Amino acid sequence: QVQLVESGGGLVQPGESLRLSCVASKLTYGYSRYKMEWYRQTPGKERELVASLAVAGGSANYAESVKGRFAISRDNAKNTVYLDMHNLNSDDTAVYYCKAQNRNVLSIRHWGQGTQVTVSS
C-alpha cells in the first residue's frame, strides 16, 4: 500500500524556520516518475498549492505568498521531498500535506496525512 508520511511540523515563533519532510513508499512505477508537491490548508479554506517539483534539480514552482522564503527539494535515493520554510509568519499556520502526482498517468496521485505547522509568538 502506498504511503506518504510527512514530518517536521511544530510550533515556531514568527521569523523562525522549519524543514518538513515527506517519505514515500510503494509508489507504482517508482518515485522518480512522480511530481512532488506541498499543499497547505487552514480550517474553512481550500487546500492551497505551496510548492511543486517535477524532477530532482529541476525548476520548482511556488505560490506567490511563499516565494523567496520556502524551498522545495527532493532526494530520489531516499524517496523524500523536503520543504524548507524560512521567515515564517502567522499566515503560514496550516496543515501541510505532500502529494505525489504521477507525471504520465494523471489519475494516479497520493496524499500524505498532513503535518501541523503553527507560527505564533
Side-chain angles (χ1 to χ4, degrees), residues 15-31:
E16 293 186 338
S17 300
L18 273 178
R19 166 176 260 204
L20 305 183
S21 301
C22 172
V23 181
S25 58
K26 300 181 180 179
L27 287 175
T28 306
Y29 307 121
Y31 183 77

Side-chain angles (χ1 to χ4, degrees), residues 29-48:
Y29 307 121
Y31 183 77
S32 63
R33 295 180 182 269
Y34 287 77
K35 177 171 66 174
M36 299 304 296
E37 299 177 315
W38 285 98
Y39 285 74
R40 66 186 181 187
Q41 189 171 26
T42 54
K45 292 189 177 180
E46 290 191 1
R47 201 166 288 189
E48 169 193 28

